[in-house]
Amino acid sequence: MLDTWSELEDTEYNEFDGIINFRDVGKTVNAFLGKKVLKEGILFRSAKLDDASYKDRIRLTEVYGIKSVIDLRSKTEHLNAQEKHKFLQKNLPLKIPGITYTRIILPSRRFELFLLSQLSWFNIFKFLLLYPLSRPHAISLISTHALGPLGLPSLSLNTLSHSSPSISLCLSSCLSGHPKIIHCTQGKDRTGLLTLLILLILRTPVQAISHDYHLTNSTSPRIRSIRLAEVREVGLPDSFAETDQAMVSSVISWLDATYGGVDGYLDAIGFGEQKRERLREILLCRGEDDNDAKEKDVGISPVSPSASSSDLEEGDVMVVQMGKEVGI
């Protein structure tokens, strides 16, 4: 087994101009295990795609064949991205033509209400005053007084607990055979949590799951400085710029203690065994040629809500196709 990201992968993924923390999850796991267990070229993860150059976009669509994007960022993060794009006066649109975008807010609004409940009455009052005047300052207040004290492992556990309908829909959005990419802002915590659940469904060894999760830290000092600036901008402690050593084990222990394992949790949120088996058909190597798998559309529609997603708040999900936004 490999202890670090292979030199080949590092060279290949560093060819992007404006996309960081990008990797093929199947390729990463296979390289670590030293054998082909997962199909490659189907499931990718990364940080935000907003700064993708023209060459990056061609690489995503023509080299990797990306057909859909699952974007886990909040409304505030999207507004900030639009403002930045407008300020820089970039010639390229934010969204890449020919790719279907599914926006699923993670954590959900229910989780945001939970965070508000962690504030003192004074800070709740301050948040309510700030929000209509300066959304970034209001979010920074929550980050400083609620998110930061939670820490990354607890953040993941509370996301699982309070955002289960969104998580179910995220997983259901992966039930197609075409190449897709999951991302949030840094491609580290929300993306890492969703990838962890997928790999648990695929019965991937824990060591390989941890390897994929912690690869975020295997980056250059320049990229580390970018991550550090981003977490400071929203009022989070510097520790949020790196992965947490306890995250993977904490999530698995919580799933075992609370639901008897990942299957119990997924049954409870409406992502049952039939859907889990479809995901395994899509992503596990079972003698089917990978190229055939890319053309095969298996499972439910990427935008179809799961059984539990009827509990989603309005605005938690947005499907964007060819630049047109439709609320669900």
Side-chain angles (χ1 to χ4, degrees):
M1 295 190 295
L2 298 178
D3 293 325
T4 58
W5 205 359
S6 72
E7 183 179 349
L8 174 63
E9 286 180 305
D10 189 48
T11 302
E12 176 184 354
Y13 297 152
N14 277 338
E15 289 184 12
F16 285 108
D17 297 322
I19 304 174
I20 63 174
N21 210 9
F22 178 93
R23 52 189 173 272
D24 179 336
V25 176
K27 191 171 184 178
T28 296
V29 169
N30 292 342
F32 178 80
L33 295 176
K35 57 182 178 180
K36 196 168 184 180
V37 176
L38 305 185
K39 293 174 183 175
E40 300 178 3
I42 304 292
L43 179 65
F44 299 85
R45 55 175 293 184
S46 77
K48 61 184 183 294
L49 306 178
D50 302 343
D51 299 322
S53 66
Y54 179 76
K55 186 180 76 172
D56 292 342
R57 293 160 186 247
I58 295 298
R59 188 167 182 79
L60 285 177
T61 56
E62 297 188 8
V63 176
Y64 291 109
I66 302 295
K67 300 294 184 184
S68 64
V69 169
I70 302 172
D71 186 339
L72 307 178
R73 292 177 296 171
S74 68
K75 183 177 181 179
T76 299
E77 289 171 295
H78 280 282
L79 290 173
N80 291 342
Q82 291 167 9
E83 287 298 319
K84 178 183 176 183
H85 195 77
K86 182 179 179 181
F87 175 77
L88 295 176
Q89 296 182 330
K90 293 190 175 182
N91 295 323
L92 296 172
L94 267 174
K95 296 180 177 61
I96 303 170
I99 290 181
T100 298
Y101 287 75
T102 302
R103 283 169 44 185
I104 304 174
I105 296 175
L106 191 70
S108 66
R109 291 186 179 183
R110 292 183 180 183
F111 183 85
E112 292 172 355
L113 291 175
F114 163 75
L115 290 178
L116 278 175
S117 73
Q118 305 304 297
L119 299 178
S120 66
W121 284 110
F122 173 76
N123 281 327
I124 290 176
F125 180 71
K126 188 175 179 181
F127 172 85
L128 293 176
L129 285 177
L130 281 173
Y131 193 79
L133 300 174
S134 175
R135 185 192 293 251
H137 285 90
I139 299 302
S140 180
L141 186 145
I142 289 184
S143 298
T144 301
H145 296 283
L147 275 176
L150 275 178
L152 287 172
S154 184
L155 173 61
S156 295
L157 300 186
N158 279 284
T159 300
L160 290 171
S161 180
H162 295 285
S163 302
S164 55
S166 294
I167 289 173
S168 180
L169 189 55
C170 286
L171 293 170
S172 294
S173 297
C174 295
L175 294 179
S176 64
H178 59 249
K180 62 188 64 63
I181 185 167
I182 303 168
H183 80 83
C184 48
T185 293
Q186 296 190 345
K188 180 173 68 73
D189 303 314
R190 289 165 288 184
T191 301
L193 179 61
L194 189 59
T195 304
L196 185 156
L197 288 174
I198 292 172
L199 293 178
L200 286 176
I201 293 170
L202 302 179
R203 305 186 181 98
T204 307
V206 175
Q207 297 93 330
I209 297 175
S210 294
H211 173 71
D212 173 76
Y213 171 68
H214 291 298
L215 275 181
T216 295
N217 296 338
S218 302
T219 53
S220 68
R222 181 185 67 84
I223 293 177
R224 287 194 189 95
S225 67
I226 292 173
R227 291 207 309 265
L228 194 58
E230 287 177 340
V231 299
R232 288 175 177 174
E233 184 180 358
V234 296
L236 289 170
D238 290 356
S239 60
F240 273 63
E242 303 290 329
T243 59
D244 191 289
Q245 291 296 323
M247 203 284 280
V248 173
S249 60
S250 295
V251 168
I252 293 174
S253 296
W254 183 83
L255 291 171
D256 289 342
T258 310
Y259 292 93
V262 66
D263 288 344
Y265 172 76
L266 294 170
D267 286 338
I269 70 172
F271 196 77
E273 178 57 30
Q274 184 179 8
K275 292 180 180 179
R276 298 196 293 271
E277 183 56 30
R278 286 176 180 173
L279 193 62
R280 295 183 193 113
E281 289 174 4
I282 294 164
L283 294 175
L284 283 177
C285 289
R286 291 176 169 175
E288 183 181 15
D289 185 78
D290 283 359
N291 291 326
D292 293 338
K294 288 184 180 181
E295 300 299 326
K296 184 179 179 182
D297 194 9
V298 183
I300 66 171
S301 166
V303 301
S304 298
S306 67
S308 65
S309 63
S310 58
D311 295 330
L312 284 163
E313 300 288 343
E314 183 180 358
D316 275 348
V317 185
M318 185 78 72
V319 178
V320 185
Q321 188 168 18
M322 299 300 289
K324 182 179 180 182
E325 297 189 355
V326 183
I328 294 183

